[in-house]
């Protein structure tokens, strides 16, 4: 089994609901409270497992905003595990989830330097490294209804842009989505073989602009007079 996320960049609206839900859920449980530094003071900050980047691609009027959620990719060949001197970072054989043993981590930052996705953050209050766990304490909680045994970010996403499942199962929803939508890995050239996969934005029809009426001299003068009178 190889658990991970599929994120649809075509429907993600960048609302940060996934990041907020992640923060809320993981203030307790497997990795303990996530630190908030000066939450009500100047320059508030803290530890987050999910962060959303925003990019503008293309030229006006055919430009498009791409919202790009980032978290741990749970790589098959995770250098963050290889470089860890204490064995705190490890990849579970049974489901492929990469975790950090908080009792072994000494906060040396080696794993953070080895991760090309910036997915790890040092909790300055506990002195240990923290990262996405795929809500490991939730997805295996048999007291929850099966429909709720998913990462908090997936359940919360209002645009249904996030999917969770087993990539080794060809009949799972995540595997079907990757096949049907030509899912892409982030920076595959590095050879880390990330599990999380992104669905690229669909091509959209360019917005026609040829019929946009240009202002003539008379209308421009009338507009200027109206603005002057309004003052």
């Amino acid at each position: 089994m190889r658990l991970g996320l599929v994120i649809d960049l075509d429907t993600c609206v960048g609302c940060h609901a996934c990041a907020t839900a992640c923060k809320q859920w993981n203030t307790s449980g497997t990795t303990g409270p996530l630190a908030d530094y000066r939450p009500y003071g100047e320059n508030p900050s803290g530890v987050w497992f999910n962060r959303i980047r925003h990019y503008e691609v293309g030229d006006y009027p055919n430009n498009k905003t791409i919202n790009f959620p980032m978290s741990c990719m749970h790589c098959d060949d995770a250098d963050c595990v290889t470089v860890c001197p204490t064995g705190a970072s490890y990849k579970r054989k049974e489901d492929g989830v990469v975790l950090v043993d908080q009792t072994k981590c000494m906060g040396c930052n080696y794993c953070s330097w080895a991760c090309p996705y910036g997915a790890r953050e040092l909790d300055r209050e506990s002195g240990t490294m923290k990262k996405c766990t795929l809500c490991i304490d939730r997805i295996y909680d048999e007291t929850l209804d099966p429909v709720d045994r998913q990462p908090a970010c997936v359940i919360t996403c209002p645009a249904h842009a996030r999917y969770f499942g087993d990539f080794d199962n060809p009949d799972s929803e995540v595997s079907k989505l990757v096949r049907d939508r030509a899912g892409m890995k982030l920076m595959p050239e590095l050879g880390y073989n990330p599990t999380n996969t992104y669905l690229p934005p669909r091509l959209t029809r360019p917005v026609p602009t040829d019929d946009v009426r240009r202002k003539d001299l008379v209308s421009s003068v009338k507009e200027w007079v109206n603005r002057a009178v309004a003052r």
Side-chain angles (χ1 to χ4, degrees), residues 5-9 12 69-71 161-163 196-200:
L5 300 173
V6 164
I7 300 174
D8 189 347
L9 298 181
C12 176
M70 293 275 294
S71 62
R162 303 175 75 98
Y163 303 85
N196 286 4
T197 307
Y198 292 90
L199 304 181

Side-chain angles (χ1 to χ4, degrees), residues 118-197:
R120 291 174 170 244
E121 294 198 27
L122 180 68
D123 188 330
R124 297 202 299 267
E125 291 192 349
S126 67
T128 58
M129 192 61 65
K130 294 184 176 175
K131 60 174 286 300
C132 164
T133 67
L134 285 178
C135 292
I136 197 77
D137 52 341
R138 180 180 187 117
I139 60 178
Y140 288 109
D141 187 349
E142 296 185 355
T143 65
L144 297 175
D145 291 335
V147 71
D148 291 326
R149 296 174 198 169
Q150 301 184 70
C153 60
V154 175
I155 293 176
T156 302
C157 180
H160 303 293
R162 303 175 75 98
Y163 303 85
F164 168 71
D166 179 12
F167 283 82
D168 278 348
N169 178 2
D171 296 324
S172 68
E173 186 176 25
V174 289
S175 295
K176 292 178 180 176
L177 283 168
V178 171
R179 285 198 303 272
D180 296 343
R181 296 275 307 280
M184 303 175 67
K185 307 291 185 181
L186 189 62
M187 295 190 283
E189 66 276 13
L190 298 179
Y192 287 34
N193 296 320
T195 300
N196 286 4
T197 307

